[in-house]
Amino acid sequence: MNSAADAMLVLVLLLNFFVLGSSRIRSIIYTVAAQGVLLGILPVLVHGELGVRETIVSVGAIALKAVFIPRMLMRAMADLPIRREIEPLVGFRLSLLLGAAGTGISLALAARLPTAGTTGAQLLVPASFATILTGFIVLTTRVKAITQVLGYLVLENGIFIFGLLLLKAMPFLVEVGVLLDLFVAIFVMGIMINHISREFSSISTERLSALKE
Amino acid sequence: MGLATIIIPLVGAAVALLLRSDMRRPFVLPFFALAHLVATIVALARPEPGGGPRWLALDAPGRIVLLLVSVLFAVCSVYAVAYLRLRKDRPNRIFCACLLAFLGMMSFITWANHLGLMWVAIETTTLSSAPLLYYNRSARSLEAAWKYLLVGSVGIALALLGSLCLGYSSLAGGHESSLLFEDLVREAPGFSKLWLHAAFILLLVGYGTKMGIAPMHTWKPDAYGEAPGLVGALLAGGMTSCAFLAIVRIFHVVVAAGEAAFASRILVFMGLFSMAVAGAFLVRQRDFKRMLAYSSVEHMGILVLALGLGPAGAFGALLHMVNNGLVKGVMFLSAGNIHRAFESKSTDEVSGAMRRLPVSGALFLAGFIAVTGSPPFAPFVSEFTILNAALGQGRYVVGGLMLVFLLVVFIGMGATVLAVVQGKPSGRARRTPFHDRPLTILPPLVLMACVTVFGLFVPPPLRAMIEDVVRFLGYPEVQP
């Protein structure tokens, strides 16, 4: 048993519900950042020691997931007139229900899968699946580009949790996973462009190219 | 030699960034494309050095994809010179650099012999190709690039999860595989089956997104519709083949684990589903570039379907991948010419392409006949091989469905293509000074010549390479 890690994973799961139920984009960004901090602490708890690998992954995760990307998103928010996700394709209450169902299914599914027994934490696999599902729900049911990016971040957090299972055996694959964050950073630039285009499409697209070069 | 085919294009990209003249910069493209082609041929001619597994190594399917990508890029680079000369309105620094970087990353995929490394390579192709999509800087092309990034990165994320599951499958089976493909294949029989199944599905969905099989194809019509013709050719002929290569490699591991039957069922289903979806959207399609996107969805469906049909099917799949890559080059480049001449890609405004652009119009028509699998062109041979593989296994329903979908696609595409090429140019289209020039028609003509020759006979070296792949996959002996 690894109760500290499991407790941390329960917190991660709770934050998933925050993301699903909130309409204020700012608070979703804070929630995702908080999740990033928790994920950063997890490698040390799961493996119960502070080796070089764990430190690299921890520091990298916190720097990217909890500081760098949320900051970029906040800066993007400052330039935008949007504050809330107003008309999601699926309502907040329904998406909470979907999230609850997803978490239940993940727990049931994970109980059936064989484990390698590399870590003491019981909740790693179900928490990872549930977080991935949460990310999917947000990605597919929200219409604002910035919320979609947040959904993608949650999805990726889920994958990160799964990666912890393999941190000892296959460090390369896990470290590569952190690269996915870099990908997101570039992705975030895409979102700004997207918004600029939305802003200017009503005026003239020439303004857009004037801005670009 | 592996590093050379990756580094040469990257050096080219750096040179393109450094050059100041928009006029002279495009000539960098054919220069480095040619160097890449030479490096590719040298790499293919030399026998593989032994001495244990390495991170960068060219396996049998990788050889074919590398050659296809290199040839296709070389042809497109010549077209790019002519195209960029017509586009003096836009700076082309980023465009040229990204094109070459894209080539480098596609070569990287073919050489990556490690599960994680291959994932990184495929991720970087998304990054290097996204700027190519918004070359036109219009609101529509920005939207297309955004969708491409969003859908593509979700696919990439799922592929990472699949890779992790595959690693965990090895761990749960009591192994600690190095994740080099050779090691994975060797140790696959001992993997945990449940996790292996999960890994295969996730990887198929993830890399299938990059390949554009239904229902993960949603980025394709927008991306191909808005991108310049030559970018469409490289995406539809090059990048999708690279993604298919990734799926072939994963399939290889699953076959080695003795789970070929499980994987084949899924591949056949996904393939037929893609063909059906493509057929549905091709009927009454008025935008001829979006039409090409759905045609690509159809052909990706044929590829995964064929991979699920045993050794004969795999032979057809690899042959069809080559043929599809070449025909897509013809179609996209000639469609690009027509688009430029009429400044529209809708059949509401475009008609009489044959009169306005005799060569491009004829190539577009010939490309259509070839891409729908009509004799005497190459896709006919490969599609016939695949159909034969299905019938040879006694899978009449699969064969029958494939025929029905091919017919639907033929009728659907036929209506659009004929509307474009036949008749007189209508008054609704703007008159532009664009006409067929040697450099805009020669590249698709060369590709069309290949498609015709391959239809008459498959060159022995290519046949040998494809047979290598079938041996490489190591299907278990099945009783017909």
Side-chain angles (χ1 to χ4, degrees), chain A residues 100-123:
Chain A
T103 310
I105 293 170
S106 307
L107 281 163
L109 190 71
R112 289 164 170 267
L113 285 167
T115 53
T118 43
T119 60
Q122 307 279 310
L123 280 175

Side-chain angles (χ1 to χ4, degrees), chain B residues 338-406:
Chain B
I338 297 172
H339 186 185
R340 193 119 286 276
F342 289 86
E343 291 195 343
S344 165
K345 51 196 179 69
S346 162
T347 51
D348 293 340
E349 283 141 15
V350 181
S351 61
M354 207 70 135
R355 290 200 184 187
R356 187 92 153 257
L357 301 170
V359 184
S360 296
L363 277 169
F364 192 61
L365 185 63
F368 153 70
I369 295 170
V371 86
T372 48
S374 319
F377 298 110
F380 168 73
V381 179
S382 43
E383 284 177 14
F384 191 74
T385 312
I386 295 164
L387 191 63
N388 235 343
L391 299 181
Q393 292 187 341
R395 307 182 74 166
Y396 299 107
V397 179
V398 173
L401 281 173
M402 181 181 163
L403 268 183
V404 170
F405 296 144
L406 283 177

Side-chain angles (χ1 to χ4, degrees), chain A residues 52-53 56-57 167 170-180:
Chain A
V52 181
R53 294 279 186 202
I56 293 174
V57 174
L167 189 56
M170 292 150 195
F172 171 75
L173 205 55
V174 180
E175 279 148 24
V176 147
V178 179
L179 253 180
L180 197 62

Side-chain angles (χ1 to χ4, degrees), chain A residues 114 116 152 159 166 183 187 193 208, chain B residues 119 127 142 153 157 164 168 195:
Chain A
Y152 182 74
I159 296 175
L166 296 171
F183 187 66
F187 196 92
I193 296 164
L208 193 63
Chain B
W119 180 83
L127 289 183
L142 284 164
S153 5
L164 291 172
Y168 197 65
W195 282 106

Side-chain angles (χ1 to χ4, degrees), chain A residues 1 37 51 54 74 87 125 141 149 153 155 158 175 189 192:
Chain A
M1 279 301 278
V37 175
E54 286 83 2
M74 279 299 187
E87 284 171 333
V125 177
T141 61
V149 171
L153 280 170
L155 168 77
E175 279 148 24
M189 291 172 202
M192 291 176 188

Side-chain angles (χ1 to χ4, degrees), chain A residues 79-153:
Chain A
D79 303 335
L80 294 174
I82 307 159
R83 291 289 166 268
R84 281 170 185 278
E85 176 77 40
I86 298 169
E87 284 171 333
L89 298 176
V90 169
F92 295 105
R93 225 169 286 169
L94 187 57
S95 34
L96 273 172
L97 270 177
L98 280 174
T103 310
I105 293 170
S106 307
L107 281 163
L109 190 71
R112 289 164 170 267
L113 285 167
T115 53
T118 43
T119 60
Q122 307 279 310
L123 280 175
L124 270 180
V125 177
S128 146
F129 287 171
T131 311
I132 291 169
L133 280 174
T134 305
F136 255 117
I137 295 170
V138 175
L139 253 175
T140 47
T141 61
R142 307 295 197 257
V143 286
K144 296 273 184 287
I146 200 158
T147 339
Q148 287 181 343
V149 171
L150 286 164
Y152 182 74
L153 280 170

